[in-house]
Amino acid sequence: MALTVFALDALDAALVDRFGLDGLTLETSGELGTYAHTKDVPLTPEVWATVATGLSPDEHGVSGAEVTTWGNPVLELASKFTAALPNSTRKLLGDVARDATGDRDEIGVTDAESVFDLPGAVVRNWPGVTADEDLRNVWDLMSEANDGLGKAPFERRLYGVAAEQFGWAREMLNHDVSLAGVHVHTPDAAGHMYAEDEASLEASYRRVEGFVEEHLAAMGEDDELLLLSDHGMQTAFLGDDEPGAHSFRAFVASTTDTVPSDVYDVAEWIRAHTHESNEGDEALNVPEQQLKDLGYI
């Protein structure tokens, strides 16, 4: 029995309802309580680290200037002084730094224990918990869109990344794992791009719904699924004040008869719904000399 957790960044509870996405509401669904810490709205690495650990940013350590870190100590120091600047200004300064040094910013990772430390748990690209190259790639894609990348290549690349992430989760169903978690940034990227374009945003939500339905169809009788978002997305067609900004309308749904009520409760809920795997530790008979001859090791 495996529990899959899809961290669907910025999936907005009001938009799921507006678009009538029954494929996302599962057995039980609702709005998930979330929080703002460093900024006036929820921040992706902070909240997802809380989801995985049950801890506040002050406890898990992924907050403020620590959300992004640089390998270069000079850039690390400079980033602390630019943390309060607008995102557009920080991006411009970051681009200049990358061009000049070849270094790039990375999302901070907590040292705290998380649900992905449970026996048999596996995780891919979870902000604040693992190195998240997929998220970094999507952020770069959003930057390219801001610089003039067309809609067709934007969506092709965005859904290409999503297909890899959902495909990875489906493959985990074929293995004896207890918990499989993956972060998908597609709703956030689409929400920022299409906050004033209802038809395009609905199409994106329906694409995500299709991925989820494919996973549901592949699940075994004893498998369970949990969908989560860290925040929602303000839109023009919902009458929000700041279309394209994060909202507090985080979403949650599960194939069980309960869901967590708050991002701080998710870790405990996952632990209660995760069963130990029976995956063995049989050693491989590695053809070491052949691999050396081929240059693999």
Side-chain angles (χ1 to χ4, degrees):
M1 176 179 178
L3 171 64
T4 303
V5 181
F6 287 134
L8 303 176
D9 205 285
L11 193 76
D12 192 290
L15 292 175
V16 171
D17 181 64
R18 182 181 181 92
F19 299 148
L21 303 177
D22 295 338
L24 296 180
T25 55
L26 306 182
E27 179 70 21
T28 311
S29 64
E31 194 163 324
L32 183 70
T34 188
Y35 69 84
H37 179 68
T38 305
K39 297 184 180 294
D40 294 333
V41 293
L43 189 63
T44 290
E46 292 178 348
V47 178
W48 286 123
T50 291
V51 167
T53 63
L55 304 175
S56 70
D58 289 335
E59 295 171 301
H60 62 56
V62 181
S63 65
E66 295 177 15
V67 169
T68 55
T69 58
W70 295 82
N72 185 308
V74 175
L75 296 179
E76 179 68 32
L77 177 62
S79 71
K80 297 183 183 298
F81 291 98
T82 62
L85 296 175
N87 287 340
S88 58
T89 304
R90 284 173 56 82
K91 175 191 174 302
L92 177 60
L93 293 174
D95 289 344
V96 171
R98 277 190 291 274
D99 291 343
T101 68
D103 289 310
R104 63 183 297 160
D105 52 332
E106 297 178 353
I107 298 170
V109 174
T110 182
D111 292 328
E113 182 178 355
S114 80
V115 293
F116 300 113
D117 293 314
L118 292 170
V122 292
V123 62
R124 171 173 174 163
N125 305 304
W126 195 284
V129 174
T130 69
D132 201 338
E133 189 62 25
D134 282 357
L135 176 57
R136 185 71 265 180
N137 289 339
V138 174
W139 280 353
D140 288 346
L141 178 60
M142 294 164 67
S143 177
E144 290 183 53
N146 186 60
D147 292 337
L149 181 70
K151 181 178 180 180
F154 170 76
E155 292 189 348
R156 168 172 50 78
R157 291 166 57 185
L158 180 66
Y159 298 139
V161 172
E164 293 179 12
Q165 295 164 332
F166 281 103
W168 174 86
R170 282 201 308 279
E171 176 59 27
M172 293 304 101
L173 295 174
N174 297 317
H175 303 271
D176 192 8
V177 302
S178 60
L179 170 66
V182 61
H183 173 263
V184 179
H185 207 63
T186 300
D188 185 274
H192 285 297
M193 295 300 112
Y194 302 140
E196 300 188 24
D197 181 352
E198 182 170 5
S200 293
L201 188 53
E202 179 177 352
S204 181
Y205 267 56
R206 293 196 179 279
R207 189 71 189 94
V208 170
E209 180 187 39
F211 283 127
V212 171
E213 289 175 334
E214 290 173 2
H215 188 86
L216 285 166
M219 285 169 49
E221 183 178 352
D222 294 329
D223 295 328
E224 301 291 357
L225 176 62
L226 177 66
L227 308 180
L228 299 165
S229 64
D230 52 340
H231 57 78
M233 189 68 65
Q234 297 187 50
T235 67
F237 41 90
L238 286 178
D240 293 319
D241 294 333
E242 192 177 353
H246 295 174
S247 79
F248 283 84
R249 299 184 297 255
F251 178 76
V252 61
S254 84
T255 52
T256 76
D257 58 1
T258 67
V259 291
S261 61
D262 188 276
V263 294
Y264 286 99
D265 301 328
V266 174
E268 181 179 354
W269 189 97
I270 288 175
R271 289 187 174 97
H273 289 79
T274 298
H275 299 266
E276 285 192 29
S277 75
N278 296 313
E279 189 172 45
D281 57 356
E282 181 182 355
L284 288 171
N285 183 17
V286 179
E288 183 174 343
Q289 189 56 51
Q290 291 180 15
L291 297 180
K292 287 182 177 179
D293 292 342
L294 292 169
Y296 293 144
I297 60 175

